[in-house]
Each structure stands twice: as C-alpha cells, then as structure tokens.
Amino acid sequence: MREHFRKTGTAYKLIEGEVSAEEMEDLASDQMPLHKKFILRHLFQTVTGENITDDQMEELTTYISFVKNKLLPEAQWADVKCEVPQAERVLKEYESFKRTGADKLLVDYDDMLTYGNQALESDKQLLAKYQRRYDYVLTDESQDTSLVQHAIIEKLVRSHGNLCVVADDDQSIYTWRAAEPEYLLNFKRVYPQAATLMMEQNYRSSQEIVETANRFIKRNKNRYDKNMFTNNPKHKPIVIKNLTDYKFQAKYVVGQIATQVNLSEIAVLYRNNASSIMLMNEFDRAGIPFYMKDTDNRFFSHWVVEDVLNFMRMSFNDRRPDLLQKIHTKCSGYITKKQMAALMELPLSGKSVFDLLVEHVPLQDYQVKQLQDSKEAFEQMRGMAPLQALRTIRGKLGYEKSIDKMCEKFGFRRDLLIGILNTLEAIAETLETMEEFAARLKHLEGALKTSKFNKNENAVTLSTLHSSKGLEFDRVYMIDLIEGVLPASDDIQKFAKGQKEQMEESARLFYVGMTRARKHLELLSYRSRDGEETAESQFVTDVRLIISPPKLDVPAGAGARGSAAGDGFAGAAARGSSSTGSSASAGSSGRPRARSGGKPIVPVNPRAIRELSGLQVGCAVRHGAFGDGVVSMLGADMVEIRFESGLKKLSVNACLERGLLEPGGSGHAS
C-alpha cells in the first residue's frame, strides 16, 4: 500500500494504534483527534444523536472490519447483521470522512489489506516485484484467514504456485471476524495441483480426550474427514458435572483448584467475558493468583453497575437532585422528564428531593404515594448490608421492572443485564456495608488490571474459548455449558430454520476447548440460573453419549449404521439429567466396540422410532439410558418425556436420526 501511494502521490495518515502526543493535544483543545475510535464516536453521535457505548463501539468496529475483509460492495453492507443503531449509515459516513475529512487520506488497519489488494490488482509492476521477491509462501493458521487476505496470497503465488497452507478446519472459530473456512474446503478449486496431507496425530492430549473429541467433531458435516489419534497413554475419563445452580459453579472450580500446586498448568475457559467476574471474585477471595487473558473491565463501567451505585448513594443522601436525575426513570416513582427538570430548577433547601417533588412540582395523584414509598425505601436502605440493599433496589425500588421495560423498548438482552445484577449480589454476599461493597468493586477492577502481570507466574489462566486457541494445559475446566450460552440462543434458532453454519462453528469452539487439555478435562453445566431452569448444552450431552452410549438390545444379524455417536447435527438428548457431581467414564477401553474402515460403528436398533408420527403426546417410549417414559410434550424441536428419574427434554432430531427411542409398553399412558 505504501509503495503504491508513493507512486501515485497519495498522502495518507494511519488512524489506528496508540493515540499520539499530538492527538492528545487536540483532545485537550476540544478538537477531534484523527483517530479511528474518536472519529467513529463523533460520527455515531452526529448520525444518532446519542453517545456510543463501549459495547457498541466494539460491535461497530467488528462490523466495519467484517465488511472490509469480506470485500463486500456497498450495496451489501445492509445485509450484514449489526445491533448498533444506524451502523450502515455510520460506516458510509466513516468512509466518506476518511476520503474528505482531512488533508490526507485516512487509513485504518483493514484499509491496508483492501488498498494493498487493489494495488496488486491494478499495478502489474508492483505485483511482479513482490512475486519475484517471494519464491515460496506459507500461511499458518489459514482457517483464520479472511477473503481479502486469501486474495492477496493468490496474487503473490500466481506466477510460481509455491504455496504451503497449514490449517485445521475444525478450529475455524472466527467467521464473525470474516475468517473463511469455506475457502479451505474449496482449496482444490483454486489450486487444483495441490497435494493435501492430513496431520492426524495429536501429541498433546490423553487417549480419552483425543478419542472423544475426534468423535464429537464428526457431528459437523462441512469439514475434511479426519481421524485424530494419539500414542499418548490413557490418563483418566473426561469428567462431566451438572451442578444444581449457576452460583455454585465458581465456588466448585475454586474448591477443585485450591488443592493444586502447579497453577500455571490450569485453565478455566468460558464462552463470554461476563463469566470471568464471578470467577475472579472467588479466586481473589480464596487468595489463588490468576491471569486474565482477556482483560475486559467494561463490567465495572457498565451502566447497570453505575445505576446500582447511584441508588446506594441516594440512600446516604436523598437531598441531591443530581443523583435522582441519573436514576429517576429507573425507579418506581414514575417521575417524568418534565417533573425532573422542574425539580432541578428549585433552589437547594436541604430537604429530601422526594419532599420537594411533592411540595413544589405538579404531580399525578398516584405519584404522591409512590414517591413517599420511594423515600421510605431509601431511608430503610441506609445502613443495610449490601446484599439486602441490592434486593431492595431490584424489588421495592422497581429497578428490575425498569430493566424489563428497557429490554422491550431498546432490544437489550435481559439475561445479560440480570446476570450483571446477580454477579453484583455474589460480590456483595459476604460484605457488611455498602462502603465495603463499593470498595470491593474498585478492588476487583484493580485486580483485573493487574492480573496481566501474572502471565508468566504460577497463576491459573482465565480465558474465553476464542482466546485459548493455541494454548495447552494439564487441567482444563470448561464452564457455563448450557443451551443458550454454548451453543448460543441465536445458533439454536438459526439451526431450527435449517441454517447450520453457526451451530457448526459453536461445535468447533467446543472442540477447541476440549483439545486444550493434556490430561484432565472437566465439563461443567448447571440446572438453574437466576431463578430459571436451564438445559445442559447439547454438546455436553453428545460427549456424554460418546462416553457412555445407550445400551440397546440388538437382534442377531442386525446391520450397522453410521460412523459415530456424534454423527449429524442431532444435538442431543437429556437435559439436566445427571446429579450434582456426577462423573462420566469412557469405560475400560474408552474405544467403540467395533470399527470398520477406521470409523466407529453404532449398532442399529430395528425397533427405533424413525418418524415423527411415532412420537405422540401420551405414548409410552423407551430410552436406552433413561428407561421407560411417557411423552408429555411435543414441539417442533424438543420433546419432553417423563421418566422415573424425572422429566427430560430431548432433541426431536437427535431421537429420530440416532434411533434413541423405541416404543415402550403398550397403548397410551395418562
């Protein structure tokens, strides 16, 4: 890009990286620095009239990067999903500003790829120069390479064809950042003379982990067919734990790790960064050092956290209209903006803001009682333990109802916001005063920032599954393995509509997590969270079925079917079925009983129910693992069956495709 711009006389300025001293001076003099995030912040405010949040900024920059790396024309920008309001318009304004908003062309990191690709396409001399410079090209981690990067590589090797690509299509987990796993699967179309070499030996993990992970990933269809193996010895079965409630998860993990000595060989992996705060709190309380691979401190600056602190501040001093102004739309007083503006005009008199509203501001009749109740609730909060205060804020002061309304109006995800409140309750659990609570939040924010200094120390690694790729540990704990988290709710909904791509990527993410472990792998789920019932991740259920397949009666001479228990996108059977602390074992050998052509064989049950018509509400069925049961509910995707051990939710597709159910008993049951 630089050479091309030099030849064409194009002056440019890079607008990413650290903010320079010159740009900081611009900021001090109220001028907008020519830096990507400052520009986007300004344009978002101009287009929407709102200030962009940190979460929105992250999603917006990901959206822009995706569009560039996919080489999408402007006509297709609107087709890319982005939750940020007016994202397409902001992007158009951003591209226009980069061309005309300064005396130089403004360039971000993604532009270096697109401009570089355009330069090689349009400038034959420049292309020939680089083709001569590089006789051989190797791309590593090629499953994470984007379309524009592939386009550049194609041009570089066009004259000699000397290209070596190293990749694992089963570890492609960045399509949301424009990685192109499909390119690998179609590699021979672009390079028909290429040889494909399978590297199937795993040198890292125990036999139990390699064999189970290998069979699990075969559920994906859009992949090269590989059979991973290892010459490493057996170690121990994969452990599956289904805890009663989410709040026990962090305590359980800390309890397991507290007895370990070599902490640097332990990792706790999770899908979402939000999971890290509860973990960090428990590790800090237990005095166990940790290294946070993704230091995301946005939790502590989230508006929900700030709201809660403002409620607590109001309990100490209800004479501050400025505090009430920040929370008046989020509590049960139903104070309008007009009424709030009238209150702000009143002279400070040392009286409670609630008394001032009642005495001097026009109100509806019903508001008087509500404001008096609010005043009383804030007075009662004074001196409360922080956990009790949080519950008062959520209930009596109406904050949780306010969150429900905001979710309806603005499309916020309720589970994330309620999750923040529950995390705050967990932090408050052992504290006696609200001052201690505020200090604890400040302490944890500092601990998060300083955890990066523990990188090469004897400390437990806390990491998202995405960031764990390429790492390995003796002991790995994968947490929050429930439906709606991994796989995410969006993946499940798209799969139900026949769109399998995201579900396959989620399975790859789960596979990446499993294969980080050398010896000890533990999969953790729970049966309830935030007062609501949860379902075990279908991926965990798949692993459970691989480790302990249902025992089915097979008549003599019955044929064989399929390849692995994990075959197909069935997504599995029992939800929340195992008791707390249960452990699944791979049996004496950890191998399927028979193999043919290198693939595991699962016996066919000729009595298996294969058609939807065989499942009706009230009919008796038999499951190989759970025994006899009665169908109590049948939906498009899920079937509920009441077994002696309790109510189980099963995937309809899994039951039919895998033949997990057969008719049981006779007739119908009540």
Side-chain angles (χ1 to χ4, degrees), residues 13 146 153 171 216 254 372 560 589 663:
K13 175 182 170 57
S146 70
I153 292 162
Q171 293 192 55
F216 169 80
V254 167
Q372 288 168 342
S589 69

Side-chain angles (χ1 to χ4, degrees), residues 18-31 33 38:
E18 295 297 319
V19 179
S20 67
E22 181 186 341
E23 287 167 338
M24 288 303 291
E25 285 175 18
D26 287 345
L27 195 58
S29 62
D30 290 335
Q31 289 188 33
F38 287 106

Side-chain angles (χ1 to χ4, degrees), residues 605-626:
N605 176 10
R607 298 190 66 231
I609 298 170
R610 300 286 183 183
E611 301 294 334
L612 189 59
S613 57
L615 290 177
Q616 301 293 330
V617 173
C619 73
V621 293
R622 173 174 291 175
H623 187 283
F626 307 126

Side-chain angles (χ1 to χ4, degrees), residues 304-544:
V304 169
V305 176
E306 191 58 30
D307 282 348
V308 166
L309 290 174
N310 281 329
F311 273 98
M312 289 182 173
R313 290 172 186 130
M314 274 290 290
S315 74
F316 287 99
N317 183 356
D318 70 355
R319 300 179 300 280
R320 287 182 55 185
D322 60 314
L323 275 181
L324 184 63
Q325 188 175 37
K326 292 175 180 176
I327 59 171
H328 77 279
T329 60
K330 299 171 182 177
C331 59
S332 51
Y334 299 103
I335 305 163
T336 66
K337 286 186 178 180
K338 187 176 180 181
Q339 290 165 342
M340 191 67 228
L343 174 66
M344 296 297 287
E345 293 294 320
L346 295 174
L348 294 175
S349 62
K351 279 191 171 185
S352 162
V353 290
F354 300 104
D355 290 338
L356 289 174
L357 280 164
V358 170
E359 293 169 10
H360 300 289
V361 176
L363 303 171
Q364 299 293 326
D365 291 342
Y366 70 86
Q367 286 182 288
V368 175
K369 174 77 166 62
Q370 287 170 328
L371 290 171
Q372 288 168 342
D373 289 347
S374 292
K375 178 186 177 184
E376 190 179 308
F378 277 110
E379 287 172 347
Q380 289 171 351
M381 268 176 63
R382 208 166 293 157
M384 264 186 193
L387 181 58
Q388 191 183 355
L390 272 160
R391 288 173 179 168
T392 301
I393 292 166
R394 294 175 73 162
K396 197 168 185 180
L397 284 167
Y399 187 59
E400 201 158 318
K401 282 184 181 176
S402 165
I403 278 183
D404 289 341
K405 288 177 183 173
M406 284 189 285
C407 290
E408 261 184 59
K409 186 174 180 181
F410 301 114
F412 297 147
R413 280 184 56 187
R414 185 181 187 276
D415 58 325
L416 293 181
L417 302 183
I418 297 299
I420 291 172
L421 289 173
N422 290 328
T423 299
L424 290 174
E425 285 198 2
I427 292 169
E429 213 168 54
T430 60
L431 306 177
E432 294 181 3
T433 68
M434 286 183 263
E435 291 95 334
E436 285 180 358
F437 175 71
R440 180 69 181 161
L441 289 178
K442 190 61 70 179
H443 168 77
L444 289 174
E445 186 175 11
L448 176 62
K449 290 175 181 174
T450 58
S451 74
K452 63 184 178 184
F453 300 118
N454 290 334
K455 182 174 183 180
N456 299 312
E457 303 298 321
N458 189 34
V460 178
T461 296
L462 309 181
S463 174
T464 61
L465 285 158
H466 281 97
S467 289
S468 72
K469 193 155 73 73
L471 304 179
E472 55 186 77
F473 305 89
D474 283 346
R475 301 176 71 87
V476 168
Y477 297 83
M478 292 170 61
I479 67 169
D480 287 334
L481 300 180
I482 61 169
E483 294 284 279
V485 175
L486 187 64
S489 302
D490 195 40
D491 304 340
I492 296 168
Q493 290 166 6
K494 287 192 173 180
F495 180 69
K497 296 174 183 174
Q499 301 169 27
K500 299 184 179 183
E501 296 82 4
Q502 277 186 232
M503 187 68 86
E504 290 215 351
E505 178 151 346
S506 278
R508 295 195 292 267
L509 189 61
F510 190 91
Y511 173 80
V512 164
M514 291 179 73
T515 53
R516 298 312 91 201
R518 296 191 193 103
K519 297 175 182 177
H520 180 98
L521 174 61
E522 204 154 324
L523 309 178
L524 301 182
S525 61
Y526 37 81
R527 296 194 286 281
S528 67
R529 178 170 185 166
D530 306 337
E532 295 183 4
E533 187 179 337
T534 58
E536 175 182 274
S537 166
Q538 57 186 264
F539 300 152
V540 175
T541 310
D542 272 5
V543 171
R544 193 190 297 281

